[in-house]
Amino acid sequence: MEILIIGGNRYFGRRLTDRLLQSGHSVSVLNRGSSVPPEGAAHLVADRNDERALEKALDGRTFDVVIDQVCYTPRQAVVAQRVIGPRTRRYVMTSTVEVYEYENSPVPLSEDALDLGTVTVDTRLPWHDPEFLDAHYGEGKRQAEAVFAAAPGFAYTAVRVAHVLGGEDDFTGRVAHYAERIRAGEPISVPSVNHPATYVYVEEIAAFLEWAAHQEFTGPVNAHSHGPLTTAEICAEIEKRVGGRTVFQEVEVGEVSPFSFARSYGMDNARASALGYRFSHTSEWLGTAIEETLR
């Protein structure tokens, strides 16, 4: 297949590109030129926010599948649907569990917990401002999904990715946050009611995206391993490897540690399972994921 990957030159995006190349696909990677894709992939250079530049970079090209790793705003979605939509048979957007950021559910959330038809899309908001975008990450993804969902005849799927763990190239610093405090026995801030969350191993989400690229289903799909994890379970694995002691400090207000959640918005992966994908259980890879990242 002819596959275009937008962004995705690090972490699980890099693994996805490698997988597709190893499977014999013709892969093109589009980014602003700040990094070179793996050997064997064609390199297209353009700022996705610049519609004219995007048109020029894709002139005369068509693709079986486009996998968009870096669509964060409704503005980007509008441009992508307009410029790239006519050039591909299928569009796969990497979305996030954070689209459910307004939920607090006693049961795991299925995809229809978010009705995209009710999402207000506002392209006039300052999506170009990095601070605004960072503070409204989930909202940006939600509005981007809504743009794709409203486009007539647009064959898209939004892969709602859980919190990702694993890999020596984990750039988030979240595991390091815990490791530093556990080594020193320093308090780790958690909410007084701390809910478990859904997670996925870095290699597994790359595999899932590769699988999704070959499928025909459309609409959103939750992507995560079975077995929600608590902050305590993650810290226990870190403590085994770094020594020290885990000390939780409950806080009523203020910032809490990265894998602590005052709301319950874990996902349900039943749709992906019904479509034929078999996810692992977190118990199968948690220790490995922590070991890799600490390494």
Side-chain angles (χ1 to χ4, degrees):
M1 291 196 300
E2 287 284 344
I3 299 175
L4 172 66
I5 300 177
I6 305 175
N9 217 32
R10 63 177 181 174
Y11 207 33
F12 62 82
R14 185 83 176 189
R15 289 164 172 78
L16 170 63
T17 304
D18 288 338
R19 282 176 171 273
L20 292 169
L21 287 169
Q22 290 167 11
S23 296
H25 298 294
S26 176
V27 179
S28 299
V29 174
L30 185 144
N31 60 30
R32 290 177 296 183
S34 56
S35 56
V36 179
E39 184 177 351
H43 191 192
L44 307 180
V45 178
D47 183 343
R48 67 164 307 145
N49 297 302
D50 185 334
E51 189 164 349
R52 287 188 177 181
L54 195 57
E55 287 269 13
K56 184 177 179 180
L58 298 177
D59 186 39
R61 293 176 178 268
T62 58
F63 305 94
D64 297 298
V65 182
V66 172
I67 305 174
D68 192 343
Q69 293 281 80
V70 289
C71 186
Y72 299 118
T73 76
R75 287 183 187 174
Q76 292 174 333
V78 168
V79 170
Q81 194 273 324
R82 189 159 54 213
V83 176
I84 305 173
R87 291 177 163 86
T88 187
R89 180 183 59 80
R90 178 171 171 76
Y91 202 97
V92 179
M93 170 195 171
T94 300
S95 189
T96 173
V97 61
E98 298 303 327
V99 298
Y100 300 117
E101 66 179 333
Y102 301 137
E103 303 294 335
N104 188 6
S105 172
V107 297
L109 295 161
S110 61
E111 291 80 1
D112 58 10
L114 171 60
D115 181 356
L116 293 170
T118 66
V119 174
T120 300
V121 173
D122 191 347
T123 58
R124 298 168 300 173
L125 291 171
W127 296 112
H128 61 281
D129 180 352
E131 288 188 10
F132 179 86
L133 183 57
D134 184 59
H136 298 83
Y137 173 69
E139 181 62 28
K141 288 285 192 180
R142 182 168 38 250
Q143 290 192 28
E145 281 196 36
V147 168
F148 291 142
F154 188 61
Y156 90 101
T157 186
V159 178
R160 294 173 178 169
V161 181
H163 305 287
V164 183
L165 286 172
E168 295 179 356
D169 52 339
D170 179 357
F171 60 90
T172 65
R174 294 174 299 189
V175 171
H177 170 94
Y178 288 103
E180 290 168 4
R181 284 156 179 77
I182 291 170
R183 282 192 188 100
E186 295 176 351
I188 296 168
S189 297
V190 296
S192 54
V193 179
N194 189 12
H195 294 276
T198 40
Y199 292 83
V200 66
Y201 183 41
V202 62
E203 300 290 349
E204 185 163 37
I205 191 57
F208 182 81
L209 286 165
E210 179 187 22
W211 173 83
H214 290 81
Q215 307 305 308
E216 299 295 330
F217 68 88
T218 57
V221 61
N222 294 336
H224 64 88
S225 303
H226 299 290
L229 295 171
T230 64
T231 314
E233 288 170 326
I234 294 172
C235 287
E237 289 294 334
I238 296 172
E239 189 177 305
K240 288 178 186 177
R241 289 158 177 81
V242 304
R245 185 168 64 97
T246 301
V247 179
F248 291 126
Q249 176 178 288
E250 293 185 1
V251 294
E252 294 296 335
V253 294
E255 188 173 349
V256 297
S257 58
F259 297 135
S260 303
F261 305 97
R263 295 176 298 105
S264 177
Y265 63 118
M267 297 190 293
D268 179 353
N269 61 18
R271 185 182 189 217
S273 297
L275 288 166
Y277 194 84
R278 184 176 178 275
F279 280 103
S280 67
H281 194 279
T282 54
S283 61
E284 298 174 42
W285 54 258
L286 178 58
T288 299
I290 297 300
E291 182 76 35
E292 290 172 350
T293 306
L294 291 174
R295 194 183 305 154

